[in-house]
Amino acid sequence: MSLLRVENIDKTFVTTRALKNAAIIVEEGEIRGLVGENGSGKSTLVSIVSGIIRPDGGRMFKNETAYAPESVLDAGREKIGIVVQEMGTIDGLTVAANLFLGEERLFKRFGLLNTANMNRRSLEVLHRYGIVNIQPDADIGALTFEDRKLVEFAKALYIDPDLLIVDETTTALSHHGREILFSELKRLKKKKRSVIFISHDLGEVIEHCDSVTVMKDGETVDTVSTRGLNEHDLKELMVGRELQHTYYREDTEASYEEEVILRVENLTLNGAYYDVSFELHRGEILGIGGLTNCGMHLLGKTLFGLKPATSGSVEVSDGNKRITNYVDAIAGGIGYLPKNRDQEGLMLLSSIRENICLPSLSSIQKRGFISPSKERKLAQYGAEQLSIKMSSINQLCLYLSGGNKQKVALSKWLVKDSDILILDCPTRGIDVAVKASIYGLMQELKKEGKAVLVISEELQELIGVSDRIIVLKAGRVKKIFERRKDLTEEEIIHFMI
Amino acid sequence: MRGFKRIVPYIGLVLIIVLFSALTGGKLLSFRNLKLIFNQAVVLIIGCIGVTFVMAQGSLDLSQGSLLGISGAMAATFAAITPGLSLPLAILTGIAVGMINGTLLAFFKIPSFIVTLCVLFVLRGLTVIATHSGSIPLPFAMLSLDNFRIKASILVTVILAAYYAYTYTSLGKNMRAIGSGETSARYSGVPVERMKVLAYLISGLLCGLCGWLNVVRTGAADSKTGLLFELDILTALVLGGMPLTGGSSAKLQSAIIGGLMLALLSNGMVLVGIKAELQQAVKGVIFLLAVYLSFERESVVMIK
Ligand SMILES: Nc1ncnc2c1ncn2[C@@H]1O[C@H](COP(=O)(O)OP(=O)(O)OP(=O)(O)O)[C@@H](O)[C@H]1O
Ligand SMILES: [Mg+2]
């Protein structure tokens, strides 16, 4: 008897056909991978299964009885929990309130909410899943993106789901977060529970899933067992054409110009990072790695002038200008891709065109006048460069798939022709084909004499693209690696923990 | 659906014209009455245009009513010295108040409706003091300024300049970007604080201009001048299709069409003979209805 059977699901958004006859069958105790290119319909499919949106047609069965959830709470009652791709927690509420959203009646006596009780239960729940650094009464908005994701994860788990859905979450998590995630998945499997796991990291999918379903253009095209499956074959199944074997750099030696383009001296932000100094050169791809709370994400913000440092300086060599705020940073030729794309990277209620053009307005204006046709051309150029899947440049970003949102967020700095790009988790939620093109793009930028600073939790990625890698541990520079052929993840991890 | 929403205000405008024309037996569109409507609409539309810049950012400006009063009082007071001083002083008053509003909002992080509501109270008090709880008459010579040609050219100039700034310059685009997502706008380089102050400055400036136009029309500044003007503006903008959340769907057309609608509505109600007290109630209900119809429930979480 299958746990979940989904048949012939159709879904059209205004003009976009997101799902066509999609079908999936998940057995009890199975961990199922779900892969596909950006915009292939993965999120839409699981949103339907978890009651977030309703299908136009098709049928679903849970334990062989008809199943048609009207809301996430409905799905929860049927023991289906989800961790969504985008932000799934609500600002302005505490961690505990988010955990028990919709279940407040559990803590109500005579119509009053017993907050203390709810906090106690929340602490219990968080600890049960090894999440010990989060306080139940903390405002969720004050948490890092990763911690918010972990809260959401705990929320999906405490209902003791028969089916847990995890939509493209791992790229938002550090090693520690991933460990929590995967050990919980194993535990669920042992209890004969099932999982649908969406990720663009195909190695991860093969390692942790029993089988994998491939989606393409809204259809579920294939389901294969992961036993004996290799990454390359899965990639080709997914993209539907032959691919090059590597997408990282071919050269094995660091190469960059003498000229320093950004100089960081003794930079300290109390509580985040201490005494960080380095030079970024023309034509250099500089990686920054470490555990997620090692201070590297905040360091990125300081470099862009968003988070003032306690002491030390950031200087762009062009005119020896010190960067103390973001307006100066942009004027100094810096572009910044934040990790939290929905709240920091994109204006969701604006169009693709408006998002891409915003940083470049000053350069396309002529005596204050911004010509709509210039704006259109710029956006069109940016969208084509990254092959953004959209109905037109006037589509709202809210309605883009996760990976395509990421492309828009990146595109605005590419069209601005920034000299220095600070990229925080640049390939978050991006499919393999686009990943390859982004790595290619970085190398092109390198050739043009621009400098790229990549902050990433993916060591493989850092090794693959960087000329040098700075490893931070507890906010301090522990080690700087030069690019070389035999550099391994283990070697780097050694300095991280 | 989105396309349909965009034309709702136009349908509303036509409906109001048809309805009141019928109810008044065509008196609504008589030449004499059109002049009355125009007089009312000029002030309302200019006020709405100013507030549009603020609402594009997802904020509110409720200080308009008292600002209309105090800038009128300033204009009248200084007109007694030299008539030439009246217009600059009315506008300067508006700019000063706008700066205060914007600064409190941007740098002290107080929510906009609280800031501007407080300013509304304070300014009403000052207006009462400035007019000695009565009224200040304007010099007789200035009454000739209340003519169609002057007002029409002011209105057209304001509309064109605002439309240009709002649609084709980085100023307008930055302001809408803030409405769409303040954090993301900041991360894309929009000088958020400066834009906030600037928006209130524009709103104050245009309201100061309204104050002058109003005092010239009525011939005197009164302690009650502009009472509830801020709510008229808000109602007009929402009627015109302005989203309370601001952002990229906020259009300047809303100010013009909304101002026109409310002017017609107010005038129509007077013609039909609805009592003044009841008129306010009707406006309130219409406001509620407009908000209900235009509210984007999907995007509720994104309201600041
Ligand atoms: N609410 C919506 N309105 C309009 N179009 C939408 C909406 N949600 C999704 N789409 C469109 O449906 C298609 C499928 O999107 P979906 O989010 O399911 O992709 P995905 O496979 O999850 O991609 P990714 O890997 O980038 O997360 C995309 O073309 C997307 O633009
Ligand atoms: Mg998705």
Side-chain angles (χ1 to χ4, degrees):
Chain A
M1 188 173 86
S2 55
L3 178 81
L4 177 77
R5 189 149 56 86
V6 172
E7 289 175 352
N8 302 328
I9 297 285
D10 280 306
K11 179 75 192 177
T12 303
F13 293 107
V14 199
T15 53
T16 317
R17 188 104 191 258
L19 290 177
K20 292 173 222 162
N21 274 325
I24 191 168
I25 298 175
V26 181
E27 303 295 336
E28 267 176 25
E30 181 184 13
I31 301 188
R32 168 69 59 87
L34 187 58
V35 301
E37 290 180 87
N38 293 137
S40 56
K42 304 180 294 296
S43 297
T44 309
L45 180 60
V46 294
S47 300
I48 288 173
V49 172
S50 54
I52 297 169
I53 54 177
R54 267 151 290 294
D56 299 339
R59 290 184 302 176
M60 296 192 277
F61 301 89
K62 169 130 193 293
N63 297 326
E64 299 302 333
T65 44
Y67 163 71
E70 290 282 321
S71 70
V72 191
L73 290 177
D74 263 5
R77 277 189 280 277
E78 290 283 342
K79 300 245 171 259
I80 293 185
I82 185 167
V83 180
V84 297
Q85 180 173 16
E86 311 303 345
M87 194 67 82
T89 41
I90 298 174
D91 271 331
L93 296 180
T94 64
V95 169
N98 263 294
L99 262 179
F100 290 103
L101 195 71
E103 303 286 343
E104 291 85 357
R105 72 197 140 70
L106 295 177
F107 305 103
K108 269 195 182 150
R109 279 280 140 72
F110 313 117
L112 290 178
L113 189 66
N114 184 339
T115 320
N117 212 342
M118 187 162 92
N119 284 344
R120 204 162 330 113
R121 264 302 302 281
S122 300
L123 198 67
E124 230 175 85
V125 168
L126 290 170
H127 280 206
R128 189 186 314 157
Y129 304 116
I131 305 164
V132 289
N133 60 327
I134 301 175
Q135 295 309 317
D137 57 352
D139 178 7
I140 198 112
L143 264 49
T144 63
F145 190 65
E146 161 161 38
D147 286 347
R148 293 181 75 145
K149 275 289 157 203
L150 287 176
V151 170
E152 219 183 310
F153 185 55
K155 179 178 167 66
L157 278 177
Y158 85 79
I159 62 166
D160 191 24
D162 289 345
L163 175 67
L164 175 72
I165 301 169
V166 182
D167 188 358
E168 184 53 46
T169 298
T170 40
T171 38
L173 300 181
S174 63
H175 281 267
H176 172 65
R178 283 177 211 201
E179 266 164 29
I180 294 180
L181 178 82
F182 290 126
S183 75
E184 284 307 322
L185 295 196
K186 275 207 195 85
R187 200 146 85 184
L188 284 171
K189 184 177 166 63
K190 238 186 239 146
K191 289 200 287 184
K192 286 298 227 186
R193 305 291 158 74
S194 314
V195 176
I196 296 179
F197 179 73
I198 300 179
S199 171
H200 286 292
D201 185 333
L202 303 181
E204 191 177 76
V205 170
I206 293 174
E207 187 184 339
H208 297 281
C209 299
D210 301 312
S211 55
V212 49
T213 296
V214 180
M215 291 196 73
K216 191 160 177 49
D217 297 329
E219 292 177 90
T220 38
V221 290
D222 216 341
T223 299
V224 291
S225 159
T226 54
R227 190 165 308 149
L229 185 68
N230 73 40
E231 223 176 291
H232 190 74
D233 294 344
L234 183 53
K235 236 178 253 179
E236 290 196 345
L237 267 181
M238 203 176 115
V239 182
R241 63 188 141 84
E242 300 225 344
L243 278 174
Q244 279 185 322
H245 264 274
T246 59
Y247 46 55
Y248 294 128
R249 273 165 74 172
E250 308 263 311
D251 58 334
T252 54
E253 258 170 46
S255 60
Y256 44 83
E257 293 168 32
E258 290 274 296
E259 189 187 337
V260 172
I261 192 166
L262 182 84
R263 180 174 285 118
V264 175
E265 272 172 12
N266 305 327
L267 207 60
T268 298
L269 175 61
N270 286 336
Y273 52 81
Y274 303 90
D275 213 16
V276 176
S277 299
F278 63 84
E279 286 173 341
L280 180 65
H281 304 83
R282 237 176 224 298
E284 178 176 12
I285 301 178
L286 177 62
I288 297 189
L291 301 176
T292 194
N293 52 1
C294 70
M296 59 182 182
H297 301 300
L298 281 171
L299 177 62
K301 289 195 174 168
T302 303
L303 297 182
F304 189 60
L306 284 166
K307 191 96 199 162
T310 321
S311 63
S313 68
V314 182
E315 246 178 48
V316 280
S317 308
D318 185 20
N320 283 336
K321 249 190 12 209
R322 263 182 87 146
I323 304 292
T324 50
N325 62 57
Y326 61 95
V327 177
D328 287 350
I330 293 176
I334 304 181
Y336 172 68
L337 177 78
K339 182 175 174 186
N340 182 351
R341 81 177 148 237
D342 274 12
Q343 295 184 322
E344 300 175 345
L346 285 181
M347 301 177 295
L348 292 177
L349 292 178
S350 292
S351 65
I352 296 168
R353 172 177 53 78
E354 286 166 302
N355 270 286
I356 292 183
C357 294
L358 189 58
S360 305
L361 291 180
S362 56
S363 39
I364 55 174
Q365 69 181 6
K366 210 171 185 179
R367 278 189 237 106
F369 174 73
I370 296 167
S371 124
S373 80
K374 259 194 202 164
E375 228 182 326
R376 246 188 339 263
K377 268 190 211 127
L378 190 75
Q380 202 72 48
Y381 166 78
E384 273 161 25
Q385 186 181 23
L386 294 182
S387 50
I388 294 171
K389 194 178 166 193
M390 58 186 186
S391 52
S392 83
I393 52 169
N394 294 318
Q395 190 181 352
L396 293 192
C397 286
L398 184 63
Y399 303 130
L400 285 176
S401 81
N404 282 300
K405 283 182 192 164
Q406 181 77 351
K407 292 188 212 170
V408 174
L410 181 60
S411 175
K412 62 178 161 194
W413 299 113
L414 294 178
V415 302
K416 168 105 179 138
D417 204 21
S418 311
D419 277 334
I420 303 168
L421 275 175
I422 301 169
L423 310 178
D424 197 347
C425 300
T427 54
R428 186 159 92 75
I430 280 187
D431 70 45
V432 279
V434 185
K435 222 182 227 177
S437 65
I438 285 185
Y439 294 142
L441 205 85
M442 282 183 183
Q443 287 178 64
E444 246 167 68
L445 293 170
K446 177 179 162 69
K447 268 193 218 119
E448 287 168 24
K450 315 234 144 121
V452 184
L453 197 117
V454 187
I455 299 169
S456 175
E457 274 141 36
E458 314 272 339
L459 293 181
Q460 207 54 57
E461 170 172 292
L462 288 179
I463 296 172
V465 301
S466 320
D467 289 299
R468 291 186 299 154
I469 301 172
I470 296 179
V471 180
L472 288 187
K473 178 182 167 186
R476 291 179 192 279
V477 176
K478 259 289 175 246
K479 175 84 181 166
I480 300 182
F481 289 99
E482 282 268 323
R483 181 176 192 78
R484 57 167 215 265
K485 200 173 179 172
D486 54 352
L487 187 60
T488 63
E489 280 188 60
E490 287 71 32
E491 214 175 320
I492 298 178
I493 288 179
H494 182 71
F495 288 93
M496 282 168 41
I497 48 181
Chain B
M1 190 56 210
R2 259 167 206 288
F4 177 69
K5 249 186 188 163
R6 211 167 295 155
I7 59 166
V8 164
Y10 296 88
I11 297 176
L13 183 65
V14 172
L15 279 182
I16 287 178
I17 294 174
V18 171
L19 178 76
F20 283 105
S21 296
L23 286 179
T24 58
K27 244 204 270 169
L28 183 82
L29 298 181
S30 68
F31 181 70
R32 259 186 59 163
N33 194 50
L34 279 179
K35 250 170 66 185
L36 277 176
I37 293 174
F38 172 78
N39 274 330
Q40 225 171 1
V42 170
V43 173
L44 204 49
I45 289 175
I46 293 179
C48 283
I49 288 177
V51 176
T52 299
F53 286 85
V54 171
M55 283 186 73
Q57 307 184 336
S59 302
L60 291 175
D61 191 348
L62 298 176
S63 64
Q64 307 283 317
S66 305
L67 182 51
L68 194 81
I70 189 77
S71 52
M74 291 294 274
T77 308
F78 282 87
I81 303 168
T82 322
L85 277 178
S86 66
L87 180 62
L89 265 135
I91 288 180
L92 276 178
T93 308
I95 291 179
V97 171
M99 289 276 279
I100 292 171
N101 278 335
T103 311
L104 285 173
L105 174 80
F107 295 102
F108 295 90
K109 316 266 179 236
I110 311 171
S112 63
F113 74 95
I114 304 220
V115 167
T116 54
L117 205 57
C118 294
V119 169
L120 179 81
F121 287 139
V122 172
L123 292 182
R124 179 56 61 193
L126 292 180
T127 309
V128 172
I129 295 171
T131 55
H132 312 288
S133 320
S135 71
I136 312 172
L138 219 56
F140 192 68
M142 277 183 74
L143 297 184
S144 64
L145 290 172
D146 182 37
N147 78 36
F148 177 79
R149 226 182 271 160
I150 291 180
K151 279 199 271 194
S153 36
I154 289 179
L155 180 66
V156 170
T157 313
V158 168
I159 289 179
L160 289 182
Y163 188 78
Y164 179 79
Y166 190 81
T167 319
Y168 294 115
T169 71
S170 57
L171 180 104
K173 286 175 193 288
N174 280 342
M175 287 179 183
R176 268 170 290 162
I178 293 173
S180 292
E182 188 174 324
T183 313
S184 329
R186 187 190 300 278
Y187 279 49
S188 291
V190 174
V192 174
E193 280 72 28
R194 199 189 312 164
M195 285 299 148
K196 283 189 174 169
V197 176
L198 215 54
Y200 279 93
L201 200 146
I202 293 173
S203 170
L205 185 155
L206 290 181
C207 189
L209 177 61
C210 289
W212 183 80
L213 285 170
N214 193 58
V215 89
V216 165
R217 180 160 69 99
T218 53
D222 186 277
S223 63
K224 289 202 188 61
T225 299
L227 223 48
L228 294 182
F229 184 51
E230 68 284 344
L231 292 183
D232 278 352
I233 288 183
L234 197 60
T235 309
L237 281 170
V238 173
L239 279 177
M242 175 72 64
L244 288 172
T245 43
S248 64
S249 53
K251 300 259 181 308
L252 195 78
Q253 287 90 307
S254 303
I256 300 164
I257 189 119
L260 212 55
M261 260 162 114
L262 198 70
L264 278 162
L265 196 74
S266 309
N267 176 278
M269 286 197 291
V270 174
L271 286 188
V272 176
I274 298 177
K275 277 209 213 89
E277 301 80 38
L278 200 58
Q279 284 178 26
Q280 281 305 337
V282 172
K283 277 190 201 166
V285 171
I286 286 174
F287 182 37
L288 195 67
L289 205 70
V291 171
Y292 175 77
L293 289 177
S294 68
F295 211 53
E296 300 245 347
R297 274 160 209 83
E298 305 152 40
S299 52
V300 163
V301 276
M302 296 177 198
I303 299 179
K304 285 187 292 294

Coordinates of all heavy atoms in Angstrom, one line a residue, chain A residues 218-246:
Chain A
G218 N 7.2 20.8 -15.9 CA 5.9 20.5 -15.3 C 5.5 19.1 -15.4 O 4.4 18.7 -14.9
E219 N 6.3 18.2 -16.0 CA 5.9 16.8 -16.0 C 6.9 16.0 -15.2 O 8.1 16.3 -15.1 CB 5.9 16.3 -17.4 CG 4.9 16.9 -18.3 CD 4.9 16.5 -19.7 OE1 4.3 15.4 -20.1 OE2 5.6 17.1 -20.5
T220 N 6.4 14.9 -14.6 CA 7.3 14.0 -13.9 C 7.7 13.0 -14.9 O 6.9 12.1 -15.3 CB 6.5 13.3 -12.7 OG1 5.2 13.0 -13.2 CG2 6.4 14.2 -11.5
V221 N 8.9 13.1 -15.4 CA 9.3 12.3 -16.5 C 9.9 10.9 -16.2 O 9.9 10.0 -17.0 CB 10.4 13.1 -17.4 CG1 9.7 14.2 -18.1 CG2 11.5 13.6 -16.6
D222 N 10.5 10.8 -15.0 CA 11.1 9.5 -14.7 C 11.3 9.3 -13.2 O 11.4 10.3 -12.5 CB 12.5 9.5 -15.3 CG 12.9 8.2 -15.9 OD1 12.3 7.2 -15.4 OD2 13.8 8.1 -16.7
T223 N 11.3 8.1 -12.8 CA 11.6 7.8 -11.4 C 12.6 6.6 -11.4 O 12.3 5.6 -12.0 CB 10.4 7.4 -10.6 OG1 9.5 8.5 -10.6 CG2 10.8 7.1 -9.1
V224 N 13.8 6.8 -10.8 CA 14.8 5.8 -10.8 C 15.3 5.5 -9.4 O 15.2 6.4 -8.5 CB 16.0 6.2 -11.7 CG1 15.6 6.2 -13.1 CG2 16.5 7.5 -11.2
S225 N 15.8 4.3 -9.2 CA 16.4 4.0 -7.9 C 17.8 4.7 -7.8 O 18.5 4.9 -8.8 CB 16.6 2.5 -7.8 OG 17.6 2.2 -6.8
T226 N 18.2 5.1 -6.6 CA 19.5 5.7 -6.5 C 20.7 4.7 -6.4 O 21.8 5.1 -6.4 CB 19.6 6.6 -5.3 OG1 19.2 5.9 -4.1 CG2 18.7 7.8 -5.4
R227 N 20.3 3.4 -6.3 CA 21.4 2.4 -6.1 C 22.1 2.4 -7.5 O 21.6 2.2 -8.5 CB 20.8 1.1 -5.8 CG 21.9 0.1 -5.4 CD 21.4 -1.1 -4.8 NE 20.5 -0.8 -3.6 CZ 19.5 -1.6 -3.3 NH1 19.2 -2.7 -3.9 NH2 18.7 -1.3 -2.3
G228 N 23.4 2.6 -7.4 CA 24.3 2.5 -8.5 C 24.2 3.7 -9.5 O 24.8 3.8 -10.5
L229 N 23.3 4.7 -9.1 CA 23.1 5.9 -9.9 C 24.3 6.8 -9.7 O 24.7 7.0 -8.6 CB 21.8 6.6 -9.6 CG 21.4 7.7 -10.4 CD1 21.0 7.3 -11.8 CD2 20.2 8.4 -9.7
N230 N 24.9 7.4 -10.8 CA 25.9 8.4 -10.5 C 25.4 9.8 -10.9 O 24.4 9.9 -11.7 CB 27.2 8.1 -11.2 CG 27.2 8.2 -12.7 OD1 26.7 9.1 -13.2 ND2 27.9 7.3 -13.3
E231 N 26.0 10.8 -10.4 CA 25.6 12.1 -10.5 C 25.4 12.6 -11.9 O 24.5 13.3 -12.3 CB 26.6 13.0 -9.7 CG 26.0 14.1 -8.9 CD 27.1 14.9 -8.1 OE1 27.8 14.3 -7.2 OE2 27.3 16.0 -8.5
H232 N 26.4 12.2 -12.7 CA 26.4 12.6 -14.1 C 25.2 12.1 -14.8 O 24.6 12.9 -15.6 CB 27.7 12.2 -14.8 CG 27.9 12.8 -16.1 ND1 28.3 14.1 -16.2 CD2 27.7 12.3 -17.3 CE1 28.3 14.4 -17.5 NE2 28.0 13.3 -18.2
D233 N 24.8 10.9 -14.6 CA 23.7 10.3 -15.3 C 22.4 11.0 -14.9 O 21.5 11.3 -15.7 CB 23.6 8.8 -15.0 CG 24.7 8.1 -15.6 OD1 25.4 8.7 -16.5 OD2 24.9 6.9 -15.2
L234 N 22.3 11.3 -13.6 CA 21.1 12.0 -13.0 C 21.0 13.4 -13.7 O 19.9 13.8 -14.0 CB 21.2 12.1 -11.5 CG 20.0 12.7 -10.8 CD1 18.7 12.0 -11.2 CD2 20.2 12.6 -9.3
K235 N 22.2 14.0 -13.8 CA 22.2 15.4 -14.4 C 21.6 15.3 -15.8 O 20.8 16.1 -16.2 CB 23.7 15.8 -14.4 CG 23.9 17.1 -13.8 CD 25.4 17.5 -13.9 CE 26.1 17.3 -12.5 NZ 27.5 17.6 -12.6
E236 N 22.1 14.3 -16.5 CA 21.6 14.2 -17.9 C 20.1 13.9 -18.0 O 19.4 14.4 -18.9 CB 22.5 13.2 -18.7 CG 23.9 13.7 -18.9 CD 24.7 13.0 -19.9 OE1 24.3 11.9 -20.3 OE2 25.7 13.5 -20.3
L237 N 19.7 13.1 -17.1 CA 18.2 12.8 -17.0 C 17.4 14.1 -16.8 O 16.4 14.3 -17.4 CB 17.9 11.9 -15.8 CG 17.9 10.4 -16.0 CD1 17.6 9.7 -14.7 CD2 16.9 10.0 -17.1
M238 N 18.0 14.9 -16.0 CA 17.3 16.1 -15.6 C 17.3 17.2 -16.6 O 16.3 17.8 -16.9 CB 18.1 16.6 -14.4 CG 17.4 17.5 -13.5 SD 18.5 17.9 -12.1 CE 18.7 19.6 -12.4
V239 N 18.5 17.4 -17.3 CA 18.6 18.4 -18.3 C 18.1 17.9 -19.6 O 17.7 18.7 -20.5 CB 20.0 18.9 -18.3 CG1 20.2 20.1 -19.3 CG2 20.5 19.4 -16.9
G240 N 18.2 16.6 -19.8 CA 17.7 16.0 -21.1 C 18.7 16.2 -22.2 O 18.3 16.1 -23.4
R241 N 19.9 16.5 -21.9 CA 20.9 16.5 -23.0 C 22.3 16.2 -22.3 O 22.4 16.2 -21.1 CB 20.9 17.9 -23.7 CG 21.3 19.0 -22.8 CD 21.2 20.3 -23.4 NE 20.6 21.3 -22.5 CZ 21.4 22.1 -21.7 NH1 22.7 21.9 -21.7 NH2 20.9 22.9 -20.9
E242 N 23.3 16.0 -23.2 CA 24.6 15.7 -22.7 C 25.2 16.9 -22.0 O 25.0 18.1 -22.5 CB 25.5 15.2 -23.8 CG 24.9 14.0 -24.5 CD 26.0 12.9 -24.7 OE1 27.2 13.2 -24.6 OE2 25.6 11.8 -24.9
L243 N 26.0 16.7 -21.0 CA 26.6 17.8 -20.3 C 28.1 17.6 -20.2 O 28.6 16.4 -20.3 CB 26.1 17.8 -18.9 CG 24.7 18.5 -18.6 CD1 24.3 18.3 -17.2 CD2 24.8 20.0 -19.0
Q244 N 28.8 18.6 -20.1 CA 30.3 18.5 -19.8 C 30.5 17.9 -18.4 O 29.6 18.0 -17.5 CB 30.9 19.9 -19.8 CG 31.2 20.4 -21.2 CD 31.9 21.7 -21.1 OE1 31.6 22.5 -20.2 NE2 32.9 21.9 -22.0
H245 N 31.6 17.2 -18.3 CA 31.8 16.6 -17.0 C 32.1 17.5 -15.8 O 31.5 17.3 -14.7 CB 32.9 15.5 -17.1 CG 32.3 14.2 -17.4 ND1 31.9 13.3 -16.4 CD2 32.0 13.5 -18.6 CE1 31.4 12.2 -16.9 NE2 31.4 12.3 -18.2
T246 N 32.9 18.5 -16.0 CA 33.1 19.3 -14.8 C 32.5 20.7 -15.1 O 32.4 21.1 -16.3 CB 34.6 19.6 -14.7 OG1 35.1 20.2 -15.8 CG2 35.4 18.3 -14.4

